[in-house]
Amino acid sequence: MAIDLDGPEFLRDQVAAILRARIESGEYPPRRRIPPEAEFIEEFGVSRPTVRAALAILEDEGRIVTRRGKGRFVAGAES
């Protein structure tokens, strides 16, 4: 999936959709850390606020959790 920088859909929604698909496919398995924001910024060519907004969407959906000082994990990181 690629980001459509000129399309009508918000960039944050496009990034969230790609990351959601990766979680659902198992590319990012449960209880494992996802890549850092910087990797998504470089991969998608978007700003840090856009990546953070996309990650916030996934966190609101309960798909990822943030652990201060450790990073972001696919849901189920709490044991």
Side-chain angles (χ1 to χ4, degrees), residues 35-70:
E37 290 175 3
E39 286 188 31
F40 296 134
I41 291 166
E42 185 176 330
E43 176 183 355
F44 300 124
V46 296
S47 68
R48 183 173 303 275
T50 297
V51 170
R52 286 187 174 168
L55 295 170
I57 290 169
L58 297 175
E59 192 157 11
D60 288 345
E61 293 175 354
R63 294 178 189 271
I64 63 171
V65 294
T66 301
R67 294 287 165 253
R68 189 174 204 110
K70 295 205 62 127

Side-chain angles (χ1 to χ4, degrees), residues 12-53:
R12 67 170 188 250
D13 295 334
Q14 293 181 57
V15 172
I18 291 169
L19 300 180
R20 188 181 300 113
R22 290 178 182 177
I23 290 168
E24 290 172 357
S25 75
E27 183 176 344
Y28 299 155
R31 302 174 45 87
R32 295 293 173 235
R33 190 174 331 181
I34 63 172
E37 290 175 3
E39 286 188 31
F40 296 134
I41 291 166
E42 185 176 330
E43 176 183 355
F44 300 124
V46 296
S47 68
R48 183 173 303 275
T50 297
V51 170
R52 286 187 174 168

